[in-house]
Amino acid sequence: CAARLAEDPGNLYSRALGAVVSAVGALPGHARLGGACRLFLHRIVECLGPAVLPVLPAALRPMLVAPDPKDTCDTLVLVNQVLSRFKDAAGCGALLDALLPHVVSAVMPHLAAAPTTVASQASQEGREVREAYKAWLQTVHTIAHCPLVHRLAVDPLRALLQPVVSSVVDALALLDDAPSAKLAVQILTRLTALWATEDPSPLPDAPPAP
């Protein structure tokens, strides 16, 4: 048990996290290693709490190197877990700034192929792309409904706002299930309420307008 460990469990978990980050960084895009590392990270964020945030970009970026749709979906689920859990933590904004460009770069090729692949619901690729698209909507929904959303309107993430919003709009035509459509409408409603009205009501702790 933890009480019998010669080393403090927190230090042990931190060393284990460092070893995992080094391993996945040495073999970026390796599907089986990435899957094992995602499982570890799901657990370690519960153990270390916000202290894990500075390490996550280095841990997650190698998993976003030329991933297939299933790996993309699994990584998005982990990203969404972290953003949901730590959205109010001091280091979560820096995490989003460092990670979101890599997430968008990994996701967009799958979304660009979605009009063709999603239509083929009988194919495994079509099902995997559909699930990746749903996981992407969940992640954008989390960002849109917390203070982190304001970071999309300022550098370094400002250039990502247009493709992110376009992907949500496209989802309404491509994904024909009601839960996905609801997510997309809620995201667009939230962004409209924040930025497309004459007198928007900003979220608490919003950065000043650029």
Side-chain angles (χ1 to χ4, degrees):
C1 68
R4 297 178 181 175
L5 292 174
E7 184 176 1
D8 176 74
N11 291 336
L12 181 61
Y13 293 146
S14 296
R15 288 201 303 112
L17 177 60
V20 168
V21 171
S22 296
V24 74
L27 294 168
H30 191 288
R32 294 181 65 181
L33 177 60
C37 290
R38 276 190 298 270
L39 180 60
F40 175 81
L41 291 172
H42 275 295
R43 303 292 187 268
I44 205 69
V45 296
E46 303 297 331
C47 298
L48 295 181
V52 78
L53 294 178
V55 184
L56 285 179
L60 291 170
R61 280 194 297 262
M63 301 179 200
L64 296 167
V65 176
D68 63 26
K70 185 180 184 306
D71 288 337
T72 300
C73 181
D74 292 343
T75 302
L76 285 171
V77 170
L78 175 57
V79 170
N80 192 46
Q81 175 197 358
V82 171
L83 294 178
S84 298
R85 181 172 177 81
F86 302 120
K87 60 189 177 186
D88 296 316
C92 202
L95 170 67
L96 188 68
D97 289 351
L99 192 59
L100 189 60
H102 298 276
V103 173
V104 170
S105 294
V107 168
M108 288 303 163
H110 299 309
L111 303 192
T116 301
T117 55
V118 169
S120 304
Q121 296 189 34
S123 72
Q124 180 176 350
E125 183 184 10
R127 291 191 296 271
E128 290 178 350
V129 170
R130 176 180 288 267
E131 291 306 309
Y133 213 142
K134 291 179 180 179
W136 169 244
L137 286 179
Q138 289 280 2
T139 302
V140 177
H141 188 274
T142 297
I143 296 170
H145 288 81
C146 73
L148 295 172
V149 68
H150 292 284
R151 304 185 82 90
L152 294 177
V154 296
D155 292 331
L157 301 183
R158 186 203 304 265
L160 301 180
L161 182 59
Q162 189 276 331
V164 167
V165 173
S166 294
S167 72
V168 176
V169 173
D170 292 343
L172 288 170
L174 293 171
L175 302 178
D176 53 4
D177 61 288
S180 296
K182 181 179 178 181
L183 279 176
V185 170
Q186 288 176 337
I187 293 167
L188 296 174
T189 300
R190 179 60 168 161
L191 297 183
T192 300
L194 286 172
W195 295 322
T197 59
E198 292 183 3
D199 184 22
S201 298
L203 290 171
D205 302 322

